[in-house]
């Protein structure tokens, strides 16, 4: 995406991002700012929010931080109130909250872990979407839910993660139908492996464990994709920004896979 085009995609839009962490959440915030948006950043850790907000303001855009637990009704309502007080409007909601999956077979997966994952991944996104619906209806805005490539396979140990993400996709499609008459679009992005600091650190750990190089692990992993590489954090963020922007004004109820062709859908 060219710099000129990207810098105009979200010009003067107000975008709310939940799950602002050190990886995709941070990149989403910075790429949205580069695309011209003012932001509301939500996560549980205030210090992390403050760090990302400083980077956003250094880019010349506004950033309001709100320490938020999206599994809690009062905390989520406070996020809406803070957003309204700061900007008076909302053009886009990006649901990016994430929890580490159990990575155990269903036979050994604790039910409470599954409940917690659904509470955050699915009901948390639904809670925010419900709260922000009136504001998004006024602006004819968009919701983008960050999903996962886990939708496309049934590999061992990913069962509880796939369960939660599949529910998120089904919810997104239903919301697209329900909210469409109000002019609100609801879409999803399903990343594959994301080549960024988090995955690099994991590959470094694996390389040390098995006595091989990070490059060998990368090549082995990327070999399953058509492009023989892994998508970057920035490339995932750009797909989200596209769906949140007016360029996707006729797109709703869809899920864009960003995995360099590892899976076809």
């Amino acid at each position: 995406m060219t710099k000129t085009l990207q810098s105009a995609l979200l010009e003067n839009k107000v975008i709310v991002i939940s799950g602002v962490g050190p990886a995709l959440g941070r990149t989403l915030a910075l790429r949205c700012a580069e695309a011209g948006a003012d932001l509301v950043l939500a996560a549980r850790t205030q210090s992390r929010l403050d760090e990302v907000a400083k980077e956003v303001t250094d880019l010349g855009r506004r950033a309001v931080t709100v320490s938020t637990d999206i599994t809690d009704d009062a905390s989520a309502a406070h996020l809406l109130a803070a957003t309204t007080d700061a900007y008076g409007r909302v053009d886009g909601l990006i649901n990016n909250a994430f929890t580490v999956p159990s990575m155990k077979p269903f036979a050994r997966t604790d039910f409470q872990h599954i409940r917690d994952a659904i509470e955050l991944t699915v009901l948390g996104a639904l809670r925010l979407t419900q709260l922000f619906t009136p504001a998004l209806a006024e602006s004819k805005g968009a919701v983008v839910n960050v999903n996962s490539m886990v939708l496309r396979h049934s590999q061992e140990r990913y069962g509880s993660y796939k369960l939660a993400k599949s529910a998120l996709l089904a919810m997104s499609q239903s919301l697209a139908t329900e909210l469409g008459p109000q002019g609100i679009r609801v879409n999803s992005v399903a990343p594959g492996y994301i080549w960024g600091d988090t995955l690099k650190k994991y590959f470094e750990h694996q390389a040390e464990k098995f006595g091989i190089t990070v490059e060998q692990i990368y090549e082995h992993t990327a070999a399953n994709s058509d492009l023989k590489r892994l998508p970057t954090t920035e490339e995932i963020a750009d797909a989200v920004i596209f769906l949140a922007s007016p360029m996707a004004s006729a797109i709703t109820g869809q899920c864009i896979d960003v995995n360099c062709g590892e899976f076809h859908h």
Side-chain angles (χ1 to χ4, degrees):
M1 188 180 301
T2 65
K3 182 67 175 178
T4 302
L5 177 58
Q6 185 202 17
S7 62
L9 279 179
L10 297 178
E11 187 173 4
N12 297 321
K13 301 290 187 183
V14 174
I15 304 295
V16 179
I17 306 175
S18 71
V20 176
L24 180 58
R26 171 184 173 273
T27 303
L28 280 167
L30 299 184
R31 297 296 265 194
C32 283
E34 291 171 350
D38 293 318
L39 301 171
V40 178
L41 308 176
R44 294 182 182 182
T45 306
Q46 184 64 47
S47 59
R48 184 176 295 157
L49 292 174
D50 292 339
E51 292 172 3
V52 177
K54 173 63 165 56
E55 293 184 273
V56 169
T57 55
D58 286 347
L59 292 170
R61 305 307 308 185
R62 292 182 62 189
V64 173
T65 65
V66 186
S67 179
T68 309
D69 177 359
I70 66 170
T71 69
D72 179 80
D73 289 340
S75 184
H78 174 63
L79 174 62
L80 172 63
T83 301
T84 303
D85 290 346
Y87 298 108
R89 52 187 275 263
V90 180
D91 299 289
L93 170 65
I94 299 172
N95 288 308
N96 181 57
F98 170 80
T99 185
V100 178
S102 71
M103 300 301 288
K104 294 180 181 179
F106 270 136
R108 295 191 288 109
T109 297
D110 179 72
F111 273 33
Q112 190 57 50
H113 183 101
I114 297 176
R115 293 187 189 99
D116 291 343
I118 292 174
E119 182 64 48
L120 178 71
T121 302
V122 186
L123 300 184
L126 178 59
R127 182 175 286 107
L128 293 188
T129 303
Q130 287 179 333
L131 286 168
F132 280 92
T133 288
L136 290 169
E138 285 189 24
S139 65
K140 306 302 181 187
V143 177
V144 183
N145 293 322
V146 178
N147 209 295
S148 168
M149 163 175 87
V150 73
L151 294 169
R152 310 305 179 207
H153 65 71
S154 295
Q155 295 175 11
E156 292 183 9
R157 302 184 298 120
Y158 284 91
S160 62
Y161 189 40
K162 181 173 181 176
L163 189 156
K165 287 297 191 179
S166 296
L168 176 63
L169 179 60
M171 184 193 78
S172 301
Q173 293 168 340
S174 293
L175 283 171
T177 300
E178 291 185 18
L179 301 182
Q182 298 181 60
I184 301 172
R185 298 180 297 105
V186 184
N187 290 292
S188 304
V189 168
Y193 288 98
I194 303 176
W195 187 239
D197 289 341
T198 301
L199 188 59
K200 288 175 185 177
K201 290 177 182 177
Y202 175 69
F203 279 9
E204 287 169 1
H205 171 76
Q206 293 295 97
E208 183 177 350
K209 179 179 178 181
F210 294 107
I212 55 179
T213 67
V214 171
E215 290 73 19
Q216 286 174 308
I217 296 176
Y218 182 98
E219 290 174 3
H220 175 75
T221 305
N224 294 320
S225 71
D226 295 336
L227 298 181
K228 306 307 177 187
R229 68 178 183 87
L230 304 180
T232 65
T233 312
E234 290 76 14
E235 288 173 318
I236 307 300
D238 286 348
V240 173
I241 289 170
F242 165 70
L243 288 175
S245 78
M247 285 193 72
S249 58
I251 300 175
T252 194
Q254 306 305 312
C255 181
I256 293 182
D257 291 24
V258 188
N259 57 36
C260 288
E262 183 168 356
F263 293 94
H264 294 179
H265 174 67

